[in-house]
Amino acid sequence: MLKRFSLRNYKNFKDDISIDFDNIAGYQFSDDCITNGMISKMLIYGRNATGKTNLGRALMDIVYIVYGGLWRMDKGTFLNADSSEDVAVFSYTFQFDEYEVIYRYTRLANRDLRDEELIIEQKTIYQCDFQHGRYNFDNLQYVGAEIVSIERYMQSLLHDEEGTGETTEYQLPFFRWLISNVALKSDSMLLKLSDYVKRMNMVTVSQGIMRRPRQINDAFFESFEDLSALGEFEEFLNVMGIKCKLALRKLPDGQRELYFAYEKLVPFFENASSGTLALVELYRRFVVAGRGASLLYLDEFDAFYHYEMAENIIKFFKKNYPKCQIIMTTHNTNLMTNRLMRPDCLFILSTRGTLTALCNATLRELREGHNLEKMYISGEFEKYE
Amino acid sequence: MSDYIKERRRRGRTLLIVEGNHERNKLFALIFRCFPEINIDMEDVWIYGTNIYTLYGDIVKEYDSGWTEDDVDLPYVISKKQTAHAVCRKEDFVNIILVFDYERHDPNFSDQKIKEMQEYFVDAADTGQLYINYPMIESYQHLCALPDEDYAERKIPVSLQPGNRYKQLVRNETGIAHLVEFPHKVRELLNEHFGITDERVCRNCYEDILNISDNKCVKDRVQEILQNAITGKTLQTATCQFSALIAKLGYAHYGDTYWEYMREVFKQIILHNICKANKIQKGQYQVENGNYKECFGNLDMSDILEVQNLSSHNVQTGFIWVLNTSVFFVAEYNFSLIG
């Protein structure tokens, strides 16, 4: 599981900010928010423009580093505009069984890697300083990768340097190169890390499904060819409070279309409410695609939801995905309750770029009976907002 | 800047609802001066004016008899009634604290009603925390000395009524009142006795006298403070009188200003009352291992009320343990202030 994520000099985060998943207090309630001593269900609140979405993007940055591709290439300014530092610093600390694995890297304004480092149990496995051409591959044997051909990796760097400069990325991360060029043992920490990263995902529910290319919807519909899958989907909607019956039909052109099954069939996407569409998007991204997700960042996850549905979603996650680390951002203060959450899993992201759990945002000892929502609104945690 | 939203909401406020003038202008005004960390605006200390049974009636009027099942918004109930305050909601306050007298002698006394109130108002951060003073607010002065071992057993017969008779008893026995009265006494002397009529000059002298903290040359310092306000022979008399008063109280003697000295006094008062509450609730005055914080956390105001209700049940033979819980609000606000 991810134990700690820290970041500096990225977009609106000028100073260090971190999410400490293992910083839990000894509450005796809502323990389904905690898995193996780490926060697995987290809610982040914060005023508008404090960087809730940016924090999610930053957290997902590792996916791009490890797997590359055009995944979530955002075009905005990358480094903090007030900082004189020339790189953004990312650090991920994982806990895999009894091993602590730290993957750290820095990226320049043009998104190129400047440094990269892997540390397992406080031992530096390798270190790359691309800017000065200094490399240390002395400890690769600890991850069973001593046979790797460093020369070939270095050649790939040289090759790109002589390139046209049009490549979006010419410092190929050593980690990416390592996992794709070395046959690693199945219990390798490298595989555990890359597997975890592969299953990280970010969902912005308000994106809405209709804006997606047709073929994505089609793939989604195709999964409903299996009637039990359609039944599950229908049940999901019903449990969440949207009472409806669904039907799938094949159109003459071979494409599929989903319908509400009233007396007459009503096309689903053209007629579903924005709340329903948001819920479907969540289902598509999470329930279907992300069954094995390791970490999910759900931005504004309940923007279109009735408060009861938002609660139900969290309960659904807790029950069905106890191990998945789910970070949800929201403005819905109704969820700020000890019935559902706990003060060490509820966070406030401040305009200054600090992230503080409610239990650390007041001198008062927070108890189960406290009305956290009322306290938040009346300004109990104001210094940390 | 353009005024787009007309009125910006102030947050982080604490509301203190007290019964009368003494609580607001004597006790809490002094506590706020001694504990500057307590960030409460005097405007947010509301005098309710009548007793807890009237408040009970106001709540029932708003929410009917089943009010204990409701989410009572006390700031709303009171601000609606009192035109002195703009209508407020409980969301406007991070802390809501109510300070009322036990009022055993009140014709409207009802052990059931006061029990309902004490059981309902248990959370300062939500609906409010009720602090009941036994038998009345003056009990914080009912320590004969500091420390006062006899406070453990201090109680008064129910037959000691009306309230003025208790107030007289406190006046006779207190070792605290003259400390509390001191600023008022200074003010009165400056203003009435020595005839300083300019409010600003009077205020400056008052502040400076209370801020003297060096015992070596108190007299010189007093003279220095007063020389621009009082002239001639009166200056000598005034200097002697204030120096004597300061020496009697002794704050400068310890190298403290009056406010710093009183802060320690209040800590003592609070700790005495924590011990006393512990005794009433558990029968033990001494706090185990000196762990006052834990002891305070385990206090149950409803349990204490129940003991008081039982022991005072018989109007002829019953008694009330002397206990001031209103000072607990300092500990509730932040225990480290007295730790």
Side-chain angles (χ1 to χ4, degrees):
Chain A
M1 290 180 89
L2 184 60
K3 188 155 83 175
R4 185 164 200 266
F5 167 65
S6 61
L7 172 74
R8 187 176 70 241
N9 195 24
Y10 171 81
K11 292 188 183 273
N12 66 309
F13 302 109
K14 180 171 182 249
D15 301 315
D16 284 294
I17 179 170
S18 63
I19 311 178
D20 291 291
F21 292 91
D22 66 340
N23 190 6
I24 57 173
Y27 296 108
Q28 302 292 313
F29 52 90
S30 299
D31 48 10
D32 46 8
C33 294
I34 307 290
T35 304
N36 299 334
M38 281 191 236
I39 297 170
S40 61
K41 307 292 171 282
M42 176 187 286
L43 276 179
I44 298 179
Y45 290 84
R47 293 182 184 279
N48 292 108
T50 50
K52 295 186 292 295
T53 306
N54 284 346
L55 186 64
R57 285 186 188 139
L59 187 61
M60 289 301 137
D61 196 78
I62 192 174
V63 181
Y64 172 74
I65 293 294
V66 173
Y67 289 102
L70 292 171
W71 193 88
R72 205 173 288 282
M73 280 293 288
D74 71 279
K75 294 184 179 71
T77 307
F78 188 68
L79 299 183
N80 181 275
D82 285 328
S83 174
S84 54
E85 204 175 358
D86 60 353
V87 285
V89 183
F90 298 80
S91 174
Y92 299 78
T93 305
F94 297 90
Q95 188 72 41
F96 296 124
D97 303 322
E98 67 269 37
Y99 297 99
E100 187 187 79
V101 179
I102 302 174
Y103 184 54
R104 274 206 284 255
Y105 59 86
T106 60
R107 293 180 78 181
L108 294 155
N110 64 0
R111 274 105 163 132
D112 277 347
L113 271 185
R114 194 190 71 181
D115 307 272
E116 188 191 356
E117 186 178 18
L118 181 72
I119 301 163
I120 298 179
E121 284 296 288
Q122 296 172 355
K123 187 180 278 291
T124 301
I125 304 301
Y126 71 85
Q127 219 171 1
C128 304
D129 174 348
F130 298 103
Q131 196 171 35
H132 301 100
R134 285 196 288 262
Y135 303 91
N136 176 356
F137 298 113
D138 294 349
N139 288 323
L140 288 176
Q141 75 273 20
Y142 288 101
V143 288
E146 63 272 29
I147 50 145
V148 74
S149 168
I150 301 296
E151 266 170 44
R152 269 186 51 212
Y153 173 65
M154 300 307 281
Q155 271 168 8
S156 77
L157 294 181
L158 278 173
H159 173 75
D160 276 352
E161 271 173 17
E162 289 163 0
T164 57
E166 283 172 4
T167 45
T168 52
E169 173 199 45
Y170 70 95
Q171 257 81 22
L172 174 67
F174 183 64
F175 187 87
R176 194 193 302 168
W177 195 83
L178 203 56
I179 54 167
S180 44
N181 287 286
V182 180
L184 295 156
K185 282 189 195 159
S186 61
D187 62 347
S188 160
M189 287 299 133
L190 299 183
L191 284 185
K192 287 202 168 156
L193 199 163
S194 61
D195 176 57
Y196 186 96
V197 172
K198 190 188 271 176
R199 295 181 292 117
M200 285 169 75
N201 208 341
M202 176 167 172
V203 181
T204 302
V205 174
S206 48
Q207 281 162 349
I209 193 168
M210 287 315 284
R211 271 176 267 151
R212 309 204 150 269
R214 177 90 196 195
Q215 59 269 33
I216 293 183
N217 280 350
D218 215 41
F220 180 47
F221 295 161
E222 199 177 319
S223 69
F224 295 144
E225 287 287 312
D226 176 356
L227 275 182
S228 69
L230 185 63
E232 266 179 46
F233 177 52
E234 192 179 281
E235 196 191 339
F236 175 80
L237 292 181
N238 282 301
V239 167
M240 291 301 152
I242 297 166
K243 303 281 175 236
C244 61
K245 282 191 91 137
L246 300 174
L248 190 75
R249 292 285 182 273
K250 215 168 186 172
L251 301 179
D253 65 358
Q255 290 188 326
R256 296 165 188 83
E257 189 64 67
L258 189 65
Y259 295 93
F260 285 113
Y262 293 105
E263 290 296 313
K264 287 178 191 148
L265 295 181
V266 177
F268 186 88
F269 284 101
E270 286 80 349
N271 295 286
S273 74
S274 44
T276 306
L277 288 177
L279 192 65
V280 172
E281 172 66 358
L282 187 73
Y283 187 85
R284 189 184 70 79
R285 292 288 293 272
F286 187 39
V287 181
V288 176
R291 273 186 205 280
S294 57
L295 180 143
L296 280 170
Y297 195 93
L298 306 178
D299 193 32
E300 295 253 24
F301 87 105
D302 58 345
F304 291 93
Y305 298 164
H306 182 265
Y307 74 90
E308 233 171 50
M309 193 200 276
E311 271 192 41
N312 284 340
I313 290 281
I314 294 183
K315 287 180 187 160
F316 173 83
F317 286 156
K318 284 179 175 181
K319 183 168 179 287
N320 296 286
Y321 305 93
K323 284 188 178 155
C324 181
Q325 290 177 282
I326 304 179
I327 303 162
M328 295 159 272
T329 75
T330 179
H331 290 293
N332 180 354
T333 55
N334 181 62
L335 300 173
M336 199 179 253
T337 165
N338 285 328
R339 270 186 301 113
L340 197 66
M341 303 294 294
R342 33 190 275 169
D344 53 354
C345 296
L346 291 160
F347 287 75
I348 299 172
L349 185 61
S350 77
T351 39
R352 301 184 309 279
T354 57
L355 185 69
T356 318
L358 293 192
C359 57
N360 299 321
T362 171
L363 291 170
R364 203 191 299 261
E365 199 172 310
L366 294 178
R367 295 183 294 263
E368 188 172 4
H370 272 132
N371 182 345
L372 301 177
E373 180 185 21
K374 189 251 157 197
M375 292 168 93
Y376 177 58
I377 290 170
S378 60
E380 177 81 20
F381 315 111
E382 197 176 16
K383 284 185 189 150
Y384 297 87
E385 283 179 47
Chain B
M1 207 173 97
S2 300
D3 186 11
Y4 286 122
I5 52 172
K6 201 170 174 194
E7 196 179 307
R8 196 166 283 277
R9 205 163 70 91
R10 272 168 58 217
R11 296 170 83 210
R13 293 157 72 190
T14 291
L15 175 66
L16 255 163
I17 302 162
V18 300
E19 208 172 305
N21 197 43
H22 182 123
E23 289 90 328
R24 182 182 192 270
N25 298 328
K26 249 187 187 167
L27 178 58
F28 288 117
L30 183 55
I31 289 180
F32 296 168
R33 272 306 290 264
C34 298
F35 296 91
E37 300 92 333
I38 298 177
N39 181 22
I40 302 180
D41 198 323
M42 275 309 273
E43 271 184 24
D44 290 333
V45 185
W46 296 356
I47 297 177
Y48 181 62
T50 46
N51 65 31
I52 194 166
Y53 304 102
T54 313
L55 178 60
Y56 184 94
D58 283 343
I59 294 171
V60 170
K61 209 158 102 192
E62 185 70 39
Y63 295 94
D64 294 332
S65 54
W67 67 275
T68 50
E69 299 300 314
D70 246 314
D71 189 16
V72 174
D73 192 329
L74 209 52
Y76 172 71
V77 171
I78 294 174
S79 60
K80 193 174 98 168
K81 188 181 169 190
Q82 296 188 337
T83 47
H85 315 288
V87 173
C88 294
R89 295 282 176 176
K90 68 175 182 164
E91 283 76 17
D92 294 330
F93 301 97
V94 284
N95 288 299
I96 300 168
I97 293 160
L98 302 88
V99 174
F100 281 90
D101 290 347
Y102 185 43
E103 304 280 4
R104 185 68 182 77
H105 56 271
D106 192 281
N108 293 319
F109 175 83
S110 152
D111 52 1
Q112 188 52 40
K113 283 181 185 171
I114 200 165
K115 186 166 176 262
E116 277 179 38
M117 293 285 277
Q118 184 69 83
E119 283 175 357
Y120 186 84
F121 294 105
V122 289
D123 186 354
D126 192 12
T127 49
Q129 167 72 55
L130 170 63
Y131 290 117
I132 299 173
N133 295 311
Y134 303 95
M136 27 193 338
I137 182 73
E138 284 76 6
S139 56
Y140 79 94
Q141 295 186 358
H142 207 166
L143 291 164
C144 304
L146 284 176
D148 183 354
E149 295 297 327
D150 297 336
Y151 191 59
E153 291 302 324
R154 191 154 297 141
K155 53 196 174 195
I156 58 144
V158 178
S159 57
L160 185 82
Q161 45 179 293
N164 277 340
R165 287 184 61 206
Y166 176 70
K167 287 185 193 173
Q168 188 55 50
L169 176 75
V170 173
R171 269 199 290 276
N172 295 341
E173 297 185 347
T174 181
I176 304 286
H178 71 291
L179 301 172
V180 175
E181 299 293 341
F182 186 68
H184 302 277
K185 176 112 183 163
V186 171
R187 197 66 203 239
E188 195 186 300
L189 279 172
L190 289 169
N191 195 249
E192 288 169 26
H193 196 77
F194 295 111
I196 305 176
T197 45
D198 186 320
E199 172 55 29
R200 196 182 56 84
V201 175
C202 187
R203 179 93 212 158
N204 287 346
C205 291
Y206 164 87
E207 288 293 339
D208 290 345
I209 287 173
L210 295 172
N211 277 319
I212 293 176
S213 62
D214 187 354
N215 106 55
K216 280 186 197 125
C217 37
V218 172
K219 213 169 171 181
D220 294 348
R221 181 76 187 108
V222 171
Q223 183 160 354
E224 197 185 315
I225 292 167
L226 296 176
Q227 63 192 3
N228 293 329
I230 305 170
T231 51
K233 245 185 165 179
T234 328
L235 178 62
Q236 281 311 90
T237 320
T239 305
C240 288
Q241 197 164 348
F242 280 114
S243 306
L245 271 175
I246 294 168
K248 194 178 158 201
L249 229 70
Y251 59 88
H253 184 73
Y254 296 105
D256 287 336
T257 66
Y258 168 76
W259 311 112
E260 288 163 353
Y261 179 77
M262 283 308 288
R263 183 183 172 109
E264 294 307 309
V265 170
F266 272 115
K267 284 185 191 176
Q268 288 290 320
I269 295 175
I270 295 164
L271 295 178
H272 274 76
N273 280 291
I274 290 176
C275 292
K276 185 67 174 280
N278 196 40
K279 180 194 161 66
I280 298 169
Q281 189 180 324
K282 295 181 188 155
Q284 189 185 337
Y285 185 75
Q286 293 303 333
V287 171
E288 272 175 45
N289 306 322
N291 196 343
Y292 289 96
K293 190 177 177 182
E294 192 185 328
C295 176
F296 180 69
N298 290 330
L299 290 180
D300 185 324
M301 297 300 147
S302 296
D303 283 1
I304 291 168
L305 175 67
E306 204 166 332
V307 175
Q308 298 276 34
N309 279 345
L310 272 174
S311 65
S312 66
H313 191 65
N314 189 316
V315 180
Q316 267 77 46
T317 58
F319 64 85
I320 300 164
W321 292 105
V322 173
L323 175 72
N324 190 289
T325 65
S326 64
V327 290
F328 286 167
F329 106 89
V330 179
E332 167 79 31
Y333 191 87
N334 184 353
F335 200 89
S336 65
L337 292 177
I338 58 163

